[in-house]
């Protein structure tokens, strides 16, 4: 699991507390149950959909981003395999 994903719960909890909101208040604003928000803050993602996470983050002035992880894509791997076969 990436560091930023592991930090998600910490960030949500920190931002919520900075605003002076309880878990119940933020959960209500996001249309979630308080226990679901607590799970998110504890990095327990067993039953939390991406849309729920997105709603919470938007209320806290943040958003989810997709970023290049620096790993090769399937196309990269296939191209490297093809090049390797051509050199044999």
């Amino acid at each position: 699991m990436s560091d930023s994903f592991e930090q998600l719960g910490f960030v949500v909890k920190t931002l919520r507390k900075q605003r002076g909101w309880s878990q119940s208040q933020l959960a209500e604003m996001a249309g979630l149950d308080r226990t679901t928000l607590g799970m998110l803050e504890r990095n327990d993602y067993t039953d939390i959909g991406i849309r729920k996470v997105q709603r919470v983050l938007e209320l806290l002035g943040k958003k989810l981003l997709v970023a290049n992880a620096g790993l090769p894509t399937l196309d990269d791997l296939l191209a490297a395999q093809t090049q390797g076969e051509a050199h044999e």
Side-chain angles (χ1 to χ4, degrees):
M1 192 179 298
S2 73
D3 289 340
S4 59
F5 194 66
E6 290 174 354
Q7 294 175 6
L8 180 60
F10 175 77
V11 169
V12 168
K13 184 176 184 176
T14 300
L15 292 171
R16 174 183 60 77
K17 286 185 171 192
Q18 285 176 354
R19 285 162 175 74
W21 296 340
S22 68
Q23 281 185 341
S24 296
Q25 288 171 314
L26 179 55
E28 184 178 334
M29 287 185 278
L32 305 174
D33 188 82
R34 189 210 51 82
T35 56
T36 301
L37 183 62
M39 288 171 47
L40 175 60
E41 289 186 358
R42 289 188 307 278
N43 293 324
D44 178 2
Y45 307 112
T46 55
D47 194 32
I48 300 176
I50 196 76
R51 286 183 181 93
K52 292 177 183 178
V53 173
Q54 186 175 3
R55 281 196 309 263
V56 170
L57 290 174
E58 286 175 354
L59 287 165
L60 296 169
K62 301 293 180 185
K63 64 180 176 178
L64 289 174
L65 296 175
V66 175
N68 186 347
L71 300 173
T73 65
L74 180 57
D75 290 337
D76 295 337
L77 295 172
L78 291 172
Q81 182 181 12
T82 302
Q83 288 175 355
E85 292 171 357
H87 293 305
E88 291 179 4

